[in-house]
């Protein structure tokens, strides 16, 4: 199709169908000179004669007959393309790749993803969890389409939109009796503490909180999964500091007691996109859903 004008091909097919330049022009709502010019330009482009006069009727040459078969296939392909585009304009389809953290994926995203699947069953959403630094590089390389991460996130050409603030809380076993009057860095540093693995963004935030309170924390255990941390705490093996979204409103259903930290500690979660990212409809629906997340206590 390179260098070929589909309108010229359509005019050529119309002339052959009607056997007349003037009748074809009338059906195409063009003037006869306009149709004649299109055929002339098409013949010049292809370097062959396409139409000849047989009596008073316009008929295809051998080259014209061969081209006509291709034109019909081209028309069919164009019709299929238009139908596909019309479907995409009215139906949310495609594949969208979301990078996020394990905690957000476990406690925030399931209702959101369920609702999107219900509303857009043809939309495939692939979720990647893991190290935020690796995911940021994947976003830079366009290997994922959008990130939902703890802020701040820095990168080349990113658009960052804060979405919600998530408080950190101290959690203790439901039957724990050695709960300090105030969950301060000094008080918690005296207890066995279970923390996330080194390198996790939440671990860095919690360690910085202890340092601001003049304490260094040496955890008795380090784990990469929040649910495992909760199980160890509920078993009485230590206390922990977790995002509030990871525990129920009062903690009782998790077998935990929950206390606010003193001073208060929180993190911000946000949506991260490349500034040059084309927001096709599927990605736009996912981004809008992320921006509307509400992290009310359950």
């Amino acid at each position: 199709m390179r260098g070929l004008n589909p309108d010229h091909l359509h005019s050529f097919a119309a002339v052959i169908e009607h056997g007349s330049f003037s009748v074809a022009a009338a059906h195409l709502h063009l003037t006869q000179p306009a149709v004649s010019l299109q055929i002339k330009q098409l013949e010049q482009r292809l370097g062959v004669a396409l139409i000849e006069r047989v009596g008073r009727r316009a008929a295809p040459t051998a080259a014209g007959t061969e081209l006509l078969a291709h034109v019909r296939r081209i028309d069919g392909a164009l019709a299929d393309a238009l139908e596909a585009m019309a479907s995409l304009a009215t139906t949310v389809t495609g594949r969208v790749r979301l990078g996020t953290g394990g905690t957000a994926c476990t406690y925030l995203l399931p209702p959101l993803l369920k609702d999107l699947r219900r509303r857009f069953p043809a939309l495939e959403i692939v979720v990647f969890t893991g190290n935020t630094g690796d995911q940021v590089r994947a976003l830079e390389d366009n290997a994922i389409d959008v990130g939902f991460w703890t802020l701040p996130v820095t990168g080349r050409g990113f658009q960052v939109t804060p979405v919600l603030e998530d408080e950190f809380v101290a959690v203790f076993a439901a039957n724990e009796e050695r709960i300090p009057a105030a969950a301060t860095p000094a008080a918690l540093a005296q207890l066995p503490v279970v923390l996330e693995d080194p390198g996790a963004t939440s671990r860095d935030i919690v360690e910085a909180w202890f340092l601001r309170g003049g304490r260094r924390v040496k955890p008795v255990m380090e784990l990469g999964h929040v649910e495992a941390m909760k199980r160890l705490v509920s078993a009485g093996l230590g206390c922990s500091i977790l995002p509030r979204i990871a525990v129920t409103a009062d903690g009782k259903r998790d077998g935990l007691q929950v206390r606010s930290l003193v001073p208060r500690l929180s993190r911000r979660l946000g949506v991260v996109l490349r500034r040059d990212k084309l927001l096709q409809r599927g990605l736009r629906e996912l981004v809008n859903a992320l921006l509307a997340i509400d992290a009310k206590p359950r």
Side-chain angles (χ1 to χ4, degrees), residues 115-179:
D115 181 62
L116 287 172
R117 174 170 290 183
R118 177 187 61 81
R119 292 191 291 135
F120 311 115
L123 178 63
E124 179 187 7
I125 301 177
V126 182
V127 181
F128 299 92
T129 61
N131 181 277
T132 300
D134 292 339
Q135 293 194 43
V136 168
R137 287 187 287 274
L139 185 64
E140 289 178 333
D141 295 336
N142 205 35
I144 59 175
D145 300 303
V146 58
F148 185 68
W149 298 312
T150 300
L151 304 182
V153 170
T154 58
R156 300 190 304 272
F158 284 168
Q159 175 183 315
V160 180
T161 307
V163 173
L164 60 90
E165 184 176 2
D166 182 28
E167 180 188 10
F168 282 89
V169 292
V171 293
F172 306 86
N175 59 358
E176 177 62 62
E177 298 179 354
R178 298 175 301 162
I179 298 179

Side-chain angles (χ1 to χ4, degrees), residues 154-283:
T154 58
R156 300 190 304 272
F158 284 168
Q159 175 183 315
V160 180
T161 307
V163 173
L164 60 90
E165 184 176 2
D166 182 28
E167 180 188 10
F168 282 89
V169 292
V171 293
F172 306 86
N175 59 358
E176 177 62 62
E177 298 179 354
R178 298 175 301 162
I179 298 179
T184 64
L188 296 185
Q190 303 302 312
L191 302 175
V193 180
V194 178
L195 292 182
E196 281 196 78
D197 288 331
T201 303
S202 294
R203 170 69 176 265
D204 294 340
I205 292 172
V206 169
E207 286 189 328
W209 179 78
F210 275 102
L211 287 174
R212 288 194 297 272
R215 295 291 189 275
R216 288 186 178 274
V217 62
K218 186 175 181 180
V220 294
M221 292 185 223
E222 300 172 330
L223 295 97
H225 197 281
V226 171
E227 279 299 309
M229 296 168 64
K230 288 164 60 177
R231 291 292 184 91
L232 292 176
V233 172
S234 66
L237 298 176
C239 66
S240 189
I241 296 176
L242 299 174
R244 185 177 285 280
I245 60 171
V247 295
T248 54
D250 58 9
K252 291 181 180 178
R253 290 203 306 262
D254 297 313
L256 303 171
Q257 298 186 62
V258 180
R259 298 290 185 272
S260 294
L261 297 176
V262 182
R264 188 176 186 275
L265 178 65
S266 66
R267 63 174 181 168
R268 293 190 69 82
L269 298 172
V271 174
V272 186
L273 288 161
R274 287 173 56 114
R275 292 187 184 277
D276 59 356
K277 186 68 176 180
L278 176 63
L279 288 186
Q280 296 183 350
R281 189 173 175 192
L283 177 56

Side-chain angles (χ1 to χ4, degrees), residues 1-17 21 24-25 28 30-46 50-51 64 67-68 70-72 74-75 78:
M1 289 292 289
R2 184 177 181 182
L4 292 180
N5 188 322
D7 290 337
H8 293 182
L9 295 173
H10 192 53
S11 294
F12 162 72
V15 171
I16 299 303
E17 178 185 355
F21 280 80
L28 296 170
L30 298 172
T31 65
Q32 180 175 331
V35 171
S36 296
L37 178 60
Q38 288 182 350
I39 302 303
K40 180 180 179 181
Q41 290 174 337
L42 181 59
E43 290 177 328
Q44 289 175 341
R45 171 67 183 83
L46 297 175
L50 300 172
I51 296 176
L67 178 63
L68 189 60
H70 292 287
V71 170
R72 288 169 179 156
I74 291 169
D75 281 344
L78 288 174

